[in-house]
Amino acid sequence: MSRKLTNAEPLSLSEVKNHLRTRVVGHPLVYFRELTSTNQMAKLLAEKLPREGTTIIAERQTEGRGRLNRKWVSPSGGLWFSIVLRPKVQARHLPKLTLMASVAVAKTLRRLYGLRAEIKWPNDVLVNGKKVCGILTEAETKGESAEFAVVGIGLNANFDLMVLPKSLESSSTTLRNELKREIRREVLLGSLLDEIESLNESFSKEHFDRLLDQWRSLAGMIGASVEVRVDGEKVQGQAVDIDQDGALILRLKDDVTRTVSFGDLTVTKLAISR
Ligand code: BT5
């Protein structure tokens, strides 16, 4: 007996457009059957076109990338896309775009499918403790100001977990595996772009407090014991909060506080209740 592991039906752009209520994000919306990486293409276009909102989607990526040039596995049936944003904020605020995108993804997965999606600092969205989405923000800056940012979102949507390499099976999930059915990616993409447009409007007005509050209410690891790998060093402690810049605040042994701006986090013991 053979089970179809991926959905071969291409994304319908006209259906996405029917669901889209945005003025900026998703205009234009450009779809490719295959690309090396949507972030790579979005950066190329951002350098040539002055507009904000260009969104690149690929059915599959041959060189999908995570942070530190790690490989992002991107088979067909997933939702792999990148948005060009040009927020008029100082360059130091740009890392918070990743938080913004993670809020958009977690809120949308909760609203559309009733999934208990949780954010894991700094750039993951998890369902049932497993990674369903990763975010990669890359920016071009000029001195203190931001030229543009590309927010790349990878969401494991309509393919079976077995499509991913064995090494990722225990840490990852897909929407299809969680919901036991396929979803309309067009509806999901349209809703995500709507959410991102509205959060990006607040972002551009520097209403970061609202964003950080939403982030806190969706973050699963606050209060948990965690280990963060930062440049080869392992920092252990309790995740207490994030600061104004989106950096993680940890309480170490002896009540010492340490703030980390980037790293890979593993939850070692869940918080009892929040
Ligand atoms: C990320 O990096 O999680 C960011 C992923 C961003 C992907 C999107 S897709 C659209 C756009 N175009 C791109 O080229 N990239 C963006 P990081 O936190 O460094 O996690 C990378 C790690 O996640 C890998 O080393 C694997 O362990 C794991 N991984 C790879 N593919 C995965 C998948 N499909 N699902 C779950 N985990 C995966």
Side-chain angles (χ1 to χ4, degrees), residues 20 58 142 179:
L20 205 58
K142 203 185 239 174
L179 297 166

Side-chain angles (χ1 to χ4, degrees), residues 36-40 56 61 63-75 79-82 122-124 131-138 151-156 159 164-165 167-168 171-173 263-264:
T36 51
S37 152
T38 55
N39 264 37
Q40 207 177 23
I56 308 295
Q61 299 181 114
E63 290 171 36
R65 286 285 162 251
R67 293 173 300 155
L68 306 172
N69 227 15
R70 292 170 186 149
K71 186 174 166 59
W72 181 260
V73 185
S74 320
L79 201 50
W80 324 121
F81 66 102
S82 302
N123 64 321
D124 294 349
K131 183 159 173 168
V132 74
C133 171
I135 296 156
L136 177 67
T137 301
E138 298 180 280
V151 178
I153 299 181
L155 236 167
N156 297 338
F159 59 87
L164 293 180
S167 58
L168 294 179
S171 58
S172 317
T173 192
D264 288 302

Side-chain angles (χ1 to χ4, degrees), residues 2 32 63 80 97 108 111 125 169 196 202 208 232 245:
S2 76
F32 295 84
E63 290 171 36
W80 324 121
L97 284 173
T108 305
R111 188 169 57 77
V125 178
E169 264 183 33
I196 289 168
S202 309
F208 301 128
D245 297 322

Side-chain angles (χ1 to χ4, degrees), residues 234-268:
K234 280 185 184 168
V235 188
Q236 288 176 328
Q238 186 187 28
V240 180
D241 199 359
I242 46 169
D243 71 10
Q244 283 303 305
D245 297 322
L248 185 69
I249 305 172
L250 293 168
R251 187 181 299 124
L252 312 187
K253 268 195 257 156
D254 310 325
D255 260 357
V256 177
T257 298
R258 175 155 170 196
T259 303
V260 285
S261 309
F262 62 92
D264 288 302
L265 180 144
T266 312
V267 173
T268 51

